[in-house]
Amino acid sequence: MKSRRHFLTLVSFLLTLPVSSLNEGLQIRLAGPGYTRCSGRVELYKNNSWGTICDNKWSMSDAKVVCRQLGCGKTVEASVAARFGRGTGKIWLNNLECSGDERFLSDCKHKEYGENDCTHSRDAGVICKLIKLNRGDRCSGKVVIYHQKEWGTVCDNSWDLNDAEVVCRHLNCGTAMAATQGARFGLPYGKIKIWLDRVACSGSEDSLTECQHSGFGKTDCSHRKDAGVVCSASLPKPSISVNPSSVVSWGQNVSITCSISDEHKSETFILKKSPGSFRATEKSSSNSATFRIHTVDFDHEGSYQCQYERNISNEMFSSALSDPVRLSVTVPLSLLYSSIAGGILLLLLLVLVVYLDRRRRRGKAKQPGALTLSQLSVTARNKYEDDTNHDNMNFDSGEINKELTEEVGEVADDAYEKPERDEDHFYDVVGPSNLNVKSKEVCASVKKNRDDKEEDDENDYVDVTLPF
């Protein structure tokens, strides 16, 4: 009994649910020749297949529910008799009766799905908006307006961004990026009217028909002056991603991908970094591009954004910038330790160079002693120049050592000035006490000068050689 009571409670609950709750999964779409997002043949998706709706009892109230479910706003027309061409497959609904207030078409009263004697020559359709765009995409192209059950173009006399803004908002296409003139999207196929001329919108109107204009069909324009628009939805904001993650290690390779939805194509993707003036471009015929950064370092850190450019009607348009993504570079511990070790080795090498340089300077500072000895040799030579009567003279080494020692003492005492502190000089003091002169033989040669005009004493010389 208890289980039966629960079952009855469940059945009672299900019967009280609104029909829309059971049918929210049913989808509808618009199709057929010349269809747009908000005008075309109505099709319903059920049992994994698309089917049409028979136009028996098809009315503006039914079309109003379709326009609401598609987010297309105001209903313009409930078309019948396969106005947008004959469909294929099942005819899912017939004798549909909507009040116009339903959220979904499947909430309206109707016969059982698939039970009808209709043919596709009676497929139902809708026109939800007064404006559509031709020869472009959903949100860019030639402006075409619906009037008296016929589509016609708009002349570009006084056509500007305020007018284009009304069109873009009416089509749920964002903001106006351009108000094109001179049939930038090409001439129309076949014969078609020019409905409006000299349109003057403030930019706040919901439709072009609410703006000031010269009147429907009152124009002397030709289709070479057809007006058009480019709306921001034609260039949606791209997305950006980093691989690997936004925090990478020094020396890694990084790729940054910029992409847009599949329905849009781009010609050039642009990557920018802040702070700085970094800018990179990638050509692409698809909906994405990848920028590769090899061996990253701290110069690559920053905030990256991307955008793309599209050629629409022979004019380049740029999208908005993507959301920023941050790239941070870290140094691995192994690299940090090796850098510290390298720094220490470099410091030790610098200390060694300084030490060797100071040793070299000390060695050079001791050379004045050798200069003093050479000066003493000259003094010894002059001392024995007076004796000009001998060509060769032999001297006793003991006497020579004694005299040289006395001369060294005299020169050192005259030339040497003792510093205030011994630390102020790097060289050693030269004096008789630390000069060890060893001489074994002195040979002196005296030659007579050939010039008879000069005195003999001034032209003879003594060559003194002191072997050590």
Side-chain angles (χ1 to χ4, degrees):
M1 287 292 293
K2 189 174 182 180
S3 60
R4 183 179 179 184
R5 188 183 305 112
H6 287 169
F7 175 75
L8 292 175
T9 303
L10 179 61
V11 171
S12 176
F13 172 75
L14 292 175
L15 290 175
T16 59
L17 286 175
V19 178
S20 59
S21 299
L22 298 173
N23 298 314
E24 282 186 358
L26 297 180
Q27 305 174 43
I28 61 173
R29 71 180 183 183
L30 301 180
Y35 83 97
T36 67
R37 189 179 73 88
C38 294
S39 62
R41 181 178 62 243
V42 181
E43 294 188 351
L44 181 71
Y45 189 74
K46 184 172 177 61
N47 294 340
N48 297 321
S49 65
W50 288 99
T52 62
I53 299 174
C54 184
D55 64 7
N56 285 332
K57 298 185 178 180
W58 184 251
S59 66
M60 287 290 288
S61 295
D62 305 327
K64 184 178 180 181
V65 176
V66 172
C67 293
R68 179 186 298 113
Q69 186 172 344
L70 293 174
C72 287
K74 183 179 179 181
T75 305
V76 177
E77 180 182 307
S79 63
V80 296
R83 166 77 181 276
F84 290 94
R86 298 184 181 189
T88 59
K90 283 276 191 182
I91 299 175
W92 283 122
L93 292 177
N94 187 23
N95 293 328
L96 197 65
E97 295 183 33
C98 300
S99 66
D101 297 326
E102 294 85 355
R103 291 181 59 198
F104 303 101
L105 194 63
S106 52
D107 293 343
C108 303
K109 294 179 181 180
H110 56 80
K111 287 187 176 182
E112 291 296 326
Y113 289 101
E115 293 184 5
N116 58 78
D117 56 358
C118 245
T119 65
H120 285 295
S121 63
R122 300 187 64 184
D123 285 343
V126 296
I127 297 175
C128 301
K129 291 186 178 296
L130 292 172
I131 302 171
K132 67 179 182 179
L133 301 177
N134 284 350
R135 307 292 297 277
D137 57 30
R138 186 178 74 83
C139 292
S140 64
K142 181 196 298 290
V143 177
V144 182
I145 188 168
Y146 189 75
H147 180 66
Q148 293 180 353
K149 298 186 178 183
E150 189 175 352
W151 292 98
T153 63
V154 178
C155 183
D156 65 10
N157 287 329
S158 71
W159 185 252
D160 59 19
L161 275 176
N162 287 335
D163 308 323
E165 187 70 27
V166 173
V167 174
C168 292
R169 183 170 57 254
H170 182 82
L171 297 174
N172 295 325
C173 286
T175 59
M177 299 183 67
T180 65
Q181 300 179 349
R184 291 289 294 273
F185 288 94
L187 297 174
Y189 300 117
K191 190 174 182 180
I192 185 174
K193 288 185 176 294
I194 300 175
W195 277 129
L196 293 180
D197 190 7
R198 302 194 181 279
V199 177
C201 300
S202 66
S204 60
E205 295 86 352
D206 292 328
S207 174
L208 285 182
T209 57
E210 298 178 10
C211 304
Q212 295 181 4
H213 55 81
S214 59
F216 286 98
K218 294 181 179 180
T219 178
D220 56 358
C221 254
S222 70
H223 285 297
R224 294 189 179 278
K225 298 191 68 178
D226 283 345
V229 298
V230 176
C231 305
S232 59
S234 288
L235 293 99
K237 184 170 70 173
S239 60
I240 188 170
S241 61
V242 180
N243 185 32
S245 62
S246 56
V247 178
V248 298
S249 298
W250 178 290
Q252 272 191 298
N253 295 332
V254 176
S255 61
I256 301 177
T257 301
C258 186
S259 59
I260 52 180
S261 58
D262 292 337
E263 62 180 294
H264 297 91
K265 303 296 181 184
S266 173
E267 294 186 1
T268 304
F269 284 90
I270 303 168
L271 182 66
K272 297 179 179 180
K273 181 179 79 73
S274 60
S277 58
F278 173 84
R279 186 179 187 273
T281 59
E282 282 286 341
K283 297 286 186 180
S284 177
S285 59
S286 65
N287 64 328
S288 66
T290 299
F291 299 84
R292 305 187 188 280
I293 304 176
H294 299 284
T295 316
V296 299
D297 54 32
F298 290 133
D299 289 338
H300 296 112
E301 281 192 323
S303 179
Y304 287 85
Q305 291 178 285
C306 71
Q307 63 181 156
Y308 62 95
E309 294 179 341
R310 265 187 78 192
N311 187 326
I312 301 177
S313 183
N314 298 321
E315 186 175 351
M316 296 301 296
F317 292 91
S318 297
S319 73
L321 286 168
S322 69
D323 294 331
V325 61
R326 178 78 184 175
L327 180 64
S328 300
V329 180
T330 60
V331 179
L333 289 178
S334 57
L335 181 60
L336 181 62
Y337 292 154
S338 62
S339 299
I340 294 175
I344 293 175
L345 290 176
L346 184 61
L347 181 60
L348 292 176
L349 180 61
L350 181 61
V351 170
L352 180 60
V353 170
V354 172
Y355 172 75
L356 293 176
D357 184 66
R358 294 195 66 178
R359 286 286 303 271
R360 182 178 60 81
R361 291 176 179 271
R362 282 177 177 269
K364 287 185 177 181
K366 294 181 179 180
Q367 291 183 0
L371 294 176
T372 303
L373 184 58
S374 64
Q375 292 175 355
L376 293 178
S377 299
V378 175
T379 304
R381 182 189 66 188
N382 293 335
K383 181 176 180 64
Y384 294 98
E385 283 181 350
D386 293 339
D387 195 347
T388 60
N389 296 325
H390 301 84
D391 292 336
N392 293 305
M393 292 181 293
N394 293 327
F395 297 91
D396 183 73
S397 60
E399 293 179 359
I400 293 299
N401 287 339
K402 181 179 179 181
E403 293 183 7
L404 286 175
T405 301
E406 293 175 355
E407 292 292 338
V408 167
E410 293 175 0
V411 173
D413 292 339
D414 293 338
Y416 176 73
E417 180 179 356
K418 187 174 182 180
E420 294 180 4
R421 296 193 311 274
D422 292 340
E423 293 84 358
D424 295 342
H425 298 275
F426 294 109
Y427 57 84
D428 297 332
V429 178
V430 179
S433 60
N434 56 9
L435 181 62
N436 184 15
V437 182
K438 296 180 180 181
S439 175
K440 294 183 178 180
E441 183 177 356
V442 177
C443 294
S445 294
V446 180
K447 294 184 180 180
K448 188 175 182 179
N449 196 307
R450 295 180 182 180
D451 192 357
D452 296 333
K453 293 183 181 182
E454 295 181 2
E455 294 181 2
D456 295 342
D457 294 340
E458 296 178 356
N459 294 298
D460 294 336
Y461 66 93
V462 178
D463 189 5
V464 179
T465 303
L466 299 177
F468 293 89

